[in-house]
Every structure is written in structure tokens, then in C-alpha cells.
Amino acid sequence: MSAEQTRNSSSSRGETRRSTAGFLASESDDRFFQSLFEFIELEKRFLQSPENGPDELRYIIYRSVFNKVIAQATDYKRLLLTIKAEYDDIIQELKRRNDEVRGAQQTVAASMSCPKSLITCKRRANQLRDRISELQRETSRLQEELQRQKSSKDQSTWTPGLTVSESEDPEALDRHLQHLQVQRAALMDRKSHCVSLEVKAELDAKLQTAESHRDQLSSENRRLKVLSRRLWSVCDCLSSWEEGEGEGQVPLEELVGSTLENIRQNRVTDDDAELFEEEQPTGADEAELLTDHLDRFIELFDLAQYEKAALLAATSPGGVLRNLHTMTMFKAVQAPPGSVPPPLLFFQALLMTLPDGVELSASLSVVGVVLALQRGASQLVVHAVTQNKISFTEHLGDILTEHAQNNPGVADLCLALATIIYEACGLDRKTALSMCKRGLICSAAEFMKHRNKLTAEDCLWVLCRSPSLSLLQLLTKHRGRGRAAILSVGGTCSTLLVDHQQWDLAFQLLDGFVSQGQGVLQDVILEDSDSSVEVWILIASLCSELKRADLSQDILSVLLDQGGTRVLSPDLEGAGLMEHVFL
């Protein structure tokens, strides 16, 4: 606040005190007014109220002070209240007028902004009209282009199956016309050989009736031929009896009785069988029968009667349709949903109609087994393997083994079939491996013991692919009668410890020897005639590297305690003694 304002304020307070001194003479009133003036100055400074001009804050301060004066006064209280009320009314009226002025100003401003908004809307409307006109012109242009393309397409000379340039070449058009005429002639010829479904059903019924009648006549013909052969046999006997008249001749009644008795006992003789075999067609008849058979097969195949076609192909003369090409034909078509796939029908028909002692080819066997496994027809595979209907190959056994690994539900069945196939093919180690995968550890060990072709490397091959402590113990156990074990403990452990996936199996074997009591490991080392000291030192070194210092110490202790010892070898057929040279 400036000095001049301070002087003005002080002078105003002095004048007020002088003016009020006439009717408020008490000192308490003087102190009261003094406190009011100080309150006014303090509030004005605190609220930063301006000194000049109307201000709401200054009005509130003086109003509060005036209320205190009214509360302090006694005689003039009513007058002061009237003055205050008039003063408040004037202030409210001024506020109302200010509000009206402010509202009028806003109305004027809004009315002034309406022309601007109208101008903006008109400008936007003009822009939209221009855009609509542009879109209409573009639409008209596109419609004209579309109409032009349709007209050009209708007037085009392009021919389906030919290029545009060929469509305008007369020679190319002539060649295409000839090609179409040939196709039309072929279609018409094929149509001439076709009949309606009703006619086909009628012809099929007649064919079945004729086939049934043919079968009856064939059976009757065979019966008559057998009867004729028997009558000829009786006739020959009678002719021989007539030619041999004399003393010692058998009576006619006895001869006829014995001949008839022989005929009753031998219903069908070898001559009758030969008679039936002579009925098989040969030469031109065989070719005609084969042609009819193939035509019937193609007809059924084209009509999608795959079950009948499969049975017909399986029973084809000479097995001409029992091949991989026919299987490929069935694999190239699809049956209706929910029905048996055509290639599986063909494989099933082959197994059911294949003569005894005849096997399917190796390639056809593999394809058929794969189809059956994919469709879950494991019983069909069982029938094919157990009845020797398919060719046994190593590849077929591998397929069954792989299917067993991917399908645990039929693993045991597939491994059993694979074992049969491997054994039939002479694949001893794969046979043993299949038995191990089935859990037949003892049987596999016995099998390997009785197979002279199996070497120690083959046994290790089986052991590494089917790790088993029981199998390892059986293979390293002496076979009795002075025969050494199939695998030597030292050689096997050294091989397993080198392989990081198999070293745990070697540790289990050695721990088993140690746990059986003192001296068992020593006996094993001393009786292992196939392993030298260097092998056991290598085993001890590997145990130490693999953090099995206890096993390493046990092995080295045995080696150091047996320096220069001669040990009787369990191999009686080999050398009687073996000598370990210890360091």
C-alpha cells in the first residue's frame, strides 16, 4: 500500500472518530471502532482487495463490519438495520442488472455468430454437392465401362478350350472341331452300350439265375462223370472175369460184391480228382474266361461296387489281379463316409480267398498291413501273420515295431507279430529286442543263449536299445557246465561306462556285486577270463571320472590284492588256466 493511501486511510479513520465522538463518547466504543478499522485493513490486505472500483470481496468485508456495528449499537439498531437492508437491496439490484447485461451481451454475441455458422454450413453443403456430383460422374463412367465390357464379351469370338489367337485361326478351329466330333462319337458309342438302372437290375437277376443254373448243371455233370467212371470200373472187372474163365476163378457174386465195397469205401479216387482238374479251361477258353473276368471287374469298379469288385479281383484266374497295381486302383477311389475303405476291402478279400500255401508278394503285404494298422484292423493283421498269408520281410517287422511305439494300446500285439516275422527271417537280434520290449526278459536271455549266430556285439546292441538290469545280469551269468557267460562283466561295463546314457546300468551291476558281500566282486573279477587287467583299470578310471570313487577304490583294491595270482577259468573247453598280470 502506498504512503498516500496510508495517509488517506488514517485521515478517514480520524474523521470517523471525530464524527462519532459526539454520540459515542465511551472509551470502549472507541476501542471497538479502532478494532473494526484494523480488521478492515487486515482483511483487505489478506484478500488483496482493490482500493478503487466495485469489488465483491470489499463488499463482504464492510458488510461483516456493519453487522458487528449493528450488534454493538443499542439505540440506533433499528435504524442501522433499515439502512443495511436498503443497502443490500441496492447491491442485489445492481447484481441483477449486471447479470442481465451479461446475458444480453451473450445473446448479442450468439446472434452475431449465427451468420458465421450459416456461412460455414453453406460452404460445407456446397462441398458435399460437388462430391456427390463427382461420385455420380464416376458411377456413370463405371456403368458405361461395364456395359461396354459386356457388349464386347457377347461379341467375342473366343472359344472355350482355345486361346484368343487360336479362336481367330481357321485351321486351329477346324482341328478343334474334329477333336470335339471324335469326343462326341465316343460319348455316343458309350451311351449306346449303357442301359437304364431298371434294365441293369433285370439283367443282373438273369445273370444270377444263369449262374445258379450253371452251378447246378456243373454239379450234376460231375456226379454223372463220377458215376460213369465207377460203372466203367465195374465193367472192366466183369470183362476181366469173362476173359479169365477157368479153374480157381473167383465167383461172379464175390467179385461184384468186393468191387462195390471198394467203391463205397473210396468215394472220391485220385482218378476223380484228375477228372475234376481236367475241367479247368485252357487255351482259348482260358483267355475268354479271363477277358470276361476283367470286364466284369471293370464294370463293378466303375459302378462303385468296391466290395464285389475286390472279391472278384481276389478270385481272378491265375491271380492276375492279385497285384500292387490293383491295390493302387482301390487306393485312388473313396468310399462313402462310414464304410470300409476300398483298399482295405481288397486286402481282406485277398486274405480270405488266398489258397493254402500261397503268400502275397512282399510289396502287397507291406501295403496291406499298413492300411490295416491305420484303420485299426489289427485282427486282420493277426490273421495274415499267423496263417502265413503274407510275405515276411524285415521291413514288415519294422513297420509293426514302429506302430507299437506310436500306439501303446496295441503295442504288445504288434511286438508279438514282429517277433514272429523277425524269427522267420532269421533276424535274431531284432527278435530278442522285440521280446525285451514286451517285458519277456528271461525268454529273451534264453533265446540269445541258444542262438549261436548271436555275437557279444549283437547282445550289447539289444542291451543298449532295451536297457534292463535283469537282462544284463542274465547275460553276464555263467551258463553252467563250464560254459562262460554270453557277455563278460569287464567288457560290458567298459562299453556301458563310455556311453553317457548307459553308465547308470553299469553302476547298478557293480553295486549289486558289492552289496552281495565281501569277496563277490573279487570272484567276478577273477573269473572274468575275457577281460584283462587293463580293462578293469579302465573301468576303475571311468568310475572315478563319473564321481564313483567308492567303486573305483573297490576295484583297485581287488587288483592290488591279487598280484600274480593264477585263477582257474570256468571255460573248460578253452584254456584250463588264465593268468592275470597285475601291475
Side-chain angles (χ1 to χ4, degrees), residues 179-335:
H179 175 67
L180 293 177
Q181 289 176 349
V182 171
Q183 286 186 341
R184 181 180 180 278
L187 291 175
M188 294 300 294
D189 181 66
R190 184 175 180 181
K191 182 179 179 181
S192 63
H193 292 84
C194 297
V195 295
S196 62
L197 294 177
E198 293 79 5
V199 175
K200 180 182 178 301
E202 183 180 355
L203 292 176
D204 288 341
K206 290 182 179 180
L207 177 61
Q208 292 178 359
T209 304
E211 289 178 349
S212 177
H213 184 60
R214 182 197 63 187
D215 294 339
Q216 293 177 0
L217 293 178
S218 178
S219 300
E220 183 67 18
N221 186 30
R222 291 181 181 180
R223 188 184 66 80
L224 293 176
K225 285 184 177 181
V226 171
L227 181 59
S228 175
R229 180 59 59 88
R230 292 173 179 175
L231 291 176
W232 276 109
S233 177
V234 174
C235 182
D236 292 339
C237 290
L238 293 176
S239 299
S240 300
W241 183 82
E242 290 179 353
E243 293 176 357
E245 291 182 356
E247 296 180 358
Q249 188 177 11
V250 179
L252 178 61
E253 293 81 1
E254 184 178 350
L255 176 63
V256 173
S258 61
T259 303
L260 294 177
E261 184 64 25
N262 291 333
I263 291 175
R264 292 191 190 96
Q265 293 179 358
N266 301 321
R267 291 291 184 181
V268 179
T269 62
D270 295 338
D271 294 337
D272 296 334
E274 293 176 358
L275 176 65
F276 297 151
E277 292 177 358
E278 291 175 357
E279 294 181 1
Q280 296 295 332
T282 57
D285 295 336
E286 183 180 6
E288 183 179 357
L289 177 63
L290 181 59
T291 302
D292 295 340
H293 202 92
L294 293 176
D295 292 340
R296 179 60 177 167
F297 169 73
I298 296 298
E299 180 183 359
L300 292 174
F301 194 85
D302 291 339
L303 294 175
Q305 297 182 8
Y306 300 121
E307 186 174 0
K308 294 182 179 180
L311 184 60
L312 194 66
T315 57
S316 59
V320 293
L321 293 178
R322 291 197 296 265
N323 51 45
L324 193 60
H325 177 70
T326 307
M327 177 65 78
T328 305
M329 291 179 60
F330 280 101
K331 291 176 67 176
V333 295
Q334 292 183 353

Side-chain angles (χ1 to χ4, degrees), residues 295-448:
D295 292 340
R296 179 60 177 167
F297 169 73
I298 296 298
E299 180 183 359
L300 292 174
F301 194 85
D302 291 339
L303 294 175
Q305 297 182 8
Y306 300 121
E307 186 174 0
K308 294 182 179 180
L311 184 60
L312 194 66
T315 57
S316 59
V320 293
L321 293 178
R322 291 197 296 265
N323 51 45
L324 193 60
H325 177 70
T326 307
M327 177 65 78
T328 305
M329 291 179 60
F330 280 101
K331 291 176 67 176
V333 295
Q334 292 183 353
S339 59
V340 182
L344 190 59
L345 287 173
F346 180 54
F347 183 61
Q348 184 176 358
L350 288 174
L351 297 180
M352 296 299 107
T353 60
L354 203 64
D356 294 336
V358 180
E359 298 177 352
L360 296 178
S361 63
S363 58
L364 192 58
S365 300
V366 170
V367 174
V369 169
V370 170
L371 286 171
L373 292 176
Q374 290 176 350
R375 296 294 176 176
S378 56
Q379 295 302 322
L380 193 62
V381 181
V382 172
H383 173 77
V385 174
T386 55
Q387 300 299 322
N388 296 324
K389 297 291 186 179
I390 57 178
S391 299
F392 292 165
T393 59
E394 182 179 3
H395 181 49
L396 185 60
D398 294 340
I399 290 175
L400 289 169
T401 303
E402 183 180 358
H403 188 75
Q405 294 175 355
N406 299 329
N407 300 273
V410 293
D412 188 71
L413 177 62
C414 291
L415 288 174
L417 298 176
T419 303
I420 296 174
I421 294 174
Y422 287 142
E423 188 173 3
C425 295
L427 303 171
D428 293 339
R429 67 177 188 175
K430 286 194 174 183
T431 303
L433 180 60
S434 298
M435 297 172 69
C436 291
K437 289 182 177 180
R438 294 181 61 198
L440 305 176
I441 303 299
C442 295
S443 300
E446 289 296 326
F447 176 81
M448 287 188 281

Side-chain angles (χ1 to χ4, degrees), residues 30-322:
D30 190 19
R31 288 194 300 272
F32 172 70
F33 279 102
Q34 183 66 28
S35 64
L36 290 179
F37 290 134
E38 293 176 355
F39 172 77
I40 292 171
E41 295 297 330
L42 179 63
E43 290 296 324
K44 288 169 67 176
R45 286 195 303 270
F46 181 76
L47 297 176
Q48 298 180 357
S49 174
E51 292 293 336
N52 300 320
D55 183 65
E56 182 73 19
L57 295 176
R58 190 167 63 253
Y59 163 70
I60 293 173
I61 294 171
Y62 281 101
R63 181 182 179 184
S64 177
V65 171
F66 199 73
N67 288 332
K68 291 182 179 181
V69 172
I70 294 173
Q72 185 69 21
T74 56
D75 297 336
Y76 299 98
K77 189 172 186 177
R78 184 179 298 275
L79 177 62
L80 294 175
L81 288 173
T82 303
I83 294 172
K84 180 179 179 298
E86 291 292 334
Y87 187 75
D88 289 339
D89 292 340
I90 292 172
I91 295 298
Q92 293 298 327
E93 181 65 20
L94 291 175
K95 287 183 178 181
R96 186 185 63 78
R97 291 180 180 179
N98 288 335
D99 293 339
E100 290 179 355
V101 171
R102 192 179 298 108
Q105 290 176 351
Q106 292 178 355
T107 303
V108 171
S111 61
M112 292 179 65
S113 64
C114 286
K116 295 181 180 179
S117 301
L118 181 60
I119 294 172
T120 303
C121 292
K122 288 181 178 180
R123 187 184 303 112
R124 182 59 179 167
N126 293 331
Q127 292 176 355
L128 292 176
R129 279 193 291 270
D130 295 340
R131 179 60 179 167
I132 291 172
S133 301
E134 183 180 356
L135 292 176
Q136 288 176 350
R137 289 193 299 271
E138 183 69 17
T139 302
S140 301
R141 187 184 65 80
L142 292 176
Q143 288 178 350
E144 292 176 358
E145 180 67 19
L146 181 61
Q147 188 66 27
R148 185 181 62 80
Q149 290 182 359
K150 288 183 178 180
S151 301
S152 62
K153 185 176 181 180
D154 295 337
Q155 298 174 1
S156 176
T157 58
W158 176 75
T159 303
L162 298 177
T163 62
V164 177
S165 58
E166 290 176 345
S167 300
E168 299 175 355
D169 186 4
E171 295 181 358
L173 291 174
D174 290 339
R175 290 193 300 269
H176 187 62
L177 178 60
Q178 293 176 1
H179 175 67
L180 293 177
Q181 289 176 349
V182 171
Q183 286 186 341
R184 181 180 180 278
L187 291 175
M188 294 300 294
D189 181 66
R190 184 175 180 181
K191 182 179 179 181
S192 63
H193 292 84
C194 297
V195 295
S196 62
L197 294 177
E198 293 79 5
V199 175
K200 180 182 178 301
E202 183 180 355
L203 292 176
D204 288 341
K206 290 182 179 180
L207 177 61
Q208 292 178 359
T209 304
E211 289 178 349
S212 177
H213 184 60
R214 182 197 63 187
D215 294 339
Q216 293 177 0
L217 293 178
S218 178
S219 300
E220 183 67 18
N221 186 30
R222 291 181 181 180
R223 188 184 66 80
L224 293 176
K225 285 184 177 181
V226 171
L227 181 59
S228 175
R229 180 59 59 88
R230 292 173 179 175
L231 291 176
W232 276 109
S233 177
V234 174
C235 182
D236 292 339
C237 290
L238 293 176
S239 299
S240 300
W241 183 82
E242 290 179 353
E243 293 176 357
E245 291 182 356
E247 296 180 358
Q249 188 177 11
V250 179
L252 178 61
E253 293 81 1
E254 184 178 350
L255 176 63
V256 173
S258 61
T259 303
L260 294 177
E261 184 64 25
N262 291 333
I263 291 175
R264 292 191 190 96
Q265 293 179 358
N266 301 321
R267 291 291 184 181
V268 179
T269 62
D270 295 338
D271 294 337
D272 296 334
E274 293 176 358
L275 176 65
F276 297 151
E277 292 177 358
E278 291 175 357
E279 294 181 1
Q280 296 295 332
T282 57
D285 295 336
E286 183 180 6
E288 183 179 357
L289 177 63
L290 181 59
T291 302
D292 295 340
H293 202 92
L294 293 176
D295 292 340
R296 179 60 177 167
F297 169 73
I298 296 298
E299 180 183 359
L300 292 174
F301 194 85
D302 291 339
L303 294 175
Q305 297 182 8
Y306 300 121
E307 186 174 0
K308 294 182 179 180
L311 184 60
L312 194 66
T315 57
S316 59
V320 293
L321 293 178
R322 291 197 296 265

